[in-house]
């Protein structure tokens, strides 16, 4: 485990069951996960599935401080998905819970299990808008987050709560 805390950002989504309740519960579970502290959530958003069918998603982003290394954090996130009944019958299937590690400090990683920063986050309104709520001055690939948001304004998304 790294001896210092690293700020990580995790995308949260659910489109099966009560998505908002699931996200609220997993935020509490993240806070009690060993090696994770100071979990802060963005407001919740509703968005249509991307490159898939199914019910609308409830999405958010969590900022957390962690001592876990990137792959250990990924393992913790996947364990939470499994506890919430996550199934992977096919690519982009509807899901009870989806947790994506978006950023881990300024770490760049290209591992068979994990790519950091998340390779498609700058293309998704359901990631960028809640991420901006938590880190308005963030830059992605050298560009301000507001520039990326300007490029995806055609993606329907609605803020539904303050989490």
């Amino acid at each position: 485990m790294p001896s210092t805390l690293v700020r990580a950002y995790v995308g949260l989504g659910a489109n099966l069951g009560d998505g908002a309740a699931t996200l609220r519960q997993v935020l509490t579970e993240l806070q009690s996960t060993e090696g994770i502290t100071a979990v802060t959530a963005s407001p919740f958003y509703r968005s249509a599935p991307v490159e898939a069918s199914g019910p609308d998603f409830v999405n958010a982003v969590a900022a957390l401080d962690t001592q876990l290394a990137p792959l250990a954090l990924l393992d913790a996130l996947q364990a939470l998905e499994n506890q919430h009944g996550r199934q992977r019958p096919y690519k982009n299937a509807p899901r009870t819970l989806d947790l994506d590690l978006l950023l881990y400090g300024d770490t760049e990683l290209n591992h068979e299990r994990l790519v950091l920063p998340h390779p498609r986050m700058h293309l998704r309104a359901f990631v960028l808008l809640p991420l901006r709520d938590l880190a308005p001055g963030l830059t992605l690939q050298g560009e301000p987050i507001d520039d990326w948001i300007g490029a995806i304004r055609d993606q329907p998304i609605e803020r539904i709560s303050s989490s």
Side-chain angles (χ1 to χ4, degrees), residues 13-44:
N15 74 335
L16 293 177
D18 185 342
T22 299
L23 296 193
R24 283 190 294 275
Q25 183 177 352
V26 82
L27 287 164
T28 299
E29 293 165 351
L30 281 168
Q31 183 69 51
S32 64
T33 299
E34 187 175 341
I36 296 176
T37 61
V39 176
T40 304
S42 74
F44 289 0

Side-chain angles (χ1 to χ4, degrees), residues 69-143:
L71 290 174
L73 180 55
L74 178 65
D75 289 341
L77 297 175
Q78 289 178 341
L80 286 170
E81 287 178 336
N82 292 338
Q83 288 171 23
H84 284 270
R86 170 73 187 265
Q87 302 288 316
R88 292 174 170 80
Y90 54 90
K91 182 179 167 98
N92 296 330
R95 52 204 76 146
T96 55
L97 181 63
D98 186 28
L99 299 174
D100 289 327
L101 184 52
L102 304 171
L103 296 164
Y104 182 92
D106 58 3
T107 298
E108 293 184 16
L109 180 66
N110 193 353
H111 186 274
E112 64 186 20
R113 294 185 54 218
L114 179 63
V115 176
L116 291 170
H118 190 286
R120 293 173 306 284
M121 70 177 178
H122 64 286
L123 304 173
R124 309 286 198 238
F126 64 83
V127 172
L128 292 176
L129 292 175
L131 185 58
R132 179 180 62 184
D133 290 332
L134 295 174
L138 189 68
T139 60
L140 302 171
Q141 300 179 8
E143 300 292 328

Side-chain angles (χ1 to χ4, degrees), residues 125 128-129 132 145-157:
L128 292 176
L129 292 175
R132 179 180 62 184
I145 195 168
D146 283 333
D147 289 359
W148 290 110
I149 289 170
I152 49 87
R153 291 211 183 273
D154 61 331
Q155 294 180 21
I157 186 166

